[in-house]
Every structure is written in structure tokens, then in C-alpha cells.
Amino acid sequence: MLGNQRFLDNTRRNVDFAAARPTLALGQHPYAAVLTCADSRVVPELAFDQAPGDLFVPRVAGNFAGEDEIASLEYAVASLNTRLIVVLGHSRCGAVDAALAVARDNADLPGFLPKLIDNIVPAANKALLSGADDVLAEAVNENIRMTVSNLITRSVVIGAAHREGKLAVLGAHYDLASGEVTPVS
């Protein structure tokens, strides 16, 4: 969160990427993993003012935890000793908006999009039933909460590390307009 404050204040650390490359080539030791959306406007290394090698970042539209994402995060926890997972959703997420269209209007999506969006529809349904004024914002946050829960309950590796106090799994929301990251509980 201190890194996000530096990002917001435009006082980012001056990192010499070229000097770090030889060490990074020998191995990675990220202290945190960030499961985030594939949206090109969401860049965790910038939003948290981190250098290459600091974050392990699996990305998928809608930042949900499917089998591939869970396996990637299990690798970070079991093999790289990552001790923090952040599920980072963002404002105005197109994948979550598509899930709302499917849930609300039975929208028909082309190609492989239905397979992707099916992972987010439960959050969309819950948001639609919530009575929230901003259903998209509520669906984004519900998707973050459900993904945090799924990581802990579906993964033996992540769940065990979390229960043993070796891993924190948190949700956060990135505001596209301001760049601010806020916790989602």
C-alpha cells in the first residue's frame, strides 16, 4: 500500500532495471503474487511501485481463480515461498460487465467468451440480488471476494499455507481513474 501511495503521489522509487537483470536471471523471489485482470490499464508493478522480480502476476480477464490461475499461484506459494496473494479487481471491468449482461439479459457471447464469463456469473448474480445502486461496482467487489474465498477453499496448497499463517490472501480494488488501490473485505 505504501507503493500505491508513491504511485498516487508520483514519487515512485528510481529502480535501475539494467543493474537488476543479472541477479533476476539467476532466479525469482517475489514476495507477493497478484492475481489480476488482463486489462491493459491495470499494471500491478506500477500501481504498487514494485521492481521486476517483486511480484508474481497471473492475469486473466475478470481476475477469477480458474484451474490454471490456481496452479500458477500454488507454484508461487510452494516453490517461490510467496507469502502474500492479492486478488486485484478494477473499476469498470469489461469481463464483469459481460457477466452481468449474461446474468441479467441472457446475453449471447461469441467464441470462448462464455467459458470465461461463466466463472464470473455467480458474482454477477449475487450483485444483482444485492440491491446496490452501482451493480457493476458491487459485482466487481463480489468477484474479488469470491475469488479470495475460492483460492483458500479450492487449493490444498494455498488453503494449508493460509491456515498455518504462512500466507495472507487479500482482495483489493484498483480505481482506473485515480490509480488508488483499496482493500476489499
Side-chain angles (χ1 to χ4, degrees), residues 3 7 15 30 54 58 109 115 174:
F7 175 70
V15 177
D54 290 343
L109 303 174
K115 185 176 180 350
Y174 177 79

Side-chain angles (χ1 to χ4, degrees), residues 1-148:
M1 294 310 289
L2 292 173
N4 183 242
Q5 190 59 54
R6 288 190 303 271
F7 175 70
L8 293 172
D9 295 341
N10 202 28
T11 58
R12 292 179 283 153
R13 296 177 297 161
N14 186 15
V15 177
D16 185 350
F17 298 128
R21 275 191 210 106
T23 302
L24 289 173
L26 299 175
Q28 61 175 321
H29 306 285
Y31 73 89
V34 181
L35 172 59
T36 193
C37 187
D39 191 302
S40 64
R41 301 167 292 178
V42 181
V43 184
E45 292 85 355
L46 295 177
F48 292 113
D49 189 30
Q50 299 302 299
D54 290 343
L55 303 179
F56 186 85
V57 185
R59 298 175 72 117
V60 62
N63 53 269
F64 63 88
E67 290 177 0
D68 294 336
E69 294 77 25
I70 292 172
S72 294
L73 292 168
E74 287 176 338
Y75 169 74
V77 171
S79 298
L80 302 177
N81 297 312
T82 300
R83 296 293 167 235
L84 171 64
I85 295 174
V86 176
V87 176
L88 184 63
H90 66 92
S91 59
R92 301 176 47 210
C93 181
V96 175
D97 198 31
L100 281 168
V102 167
R104 182 180 41 229
D105 308 322
N106 202 26
D108 186 30
L109 303 174
F112 288 100
L113 288 173
K115 185 176 180 350
L116 178 95
I117 298 304
D118 283 349
N119 292 284
I120 308 167
V121 167
N125 283 328
K126 193 166 182 180
L128 287 167
L129 295 173
S130 74
D133 290 335
D134 187 341
V135 176
L136 178 56
E138 180 59 27
V140 166
N141 287 335
E142 188 56 41
N143 186 50
I144 294 166
R145 287 188 287 269
M146 285 183 165
T147 300
V148 167

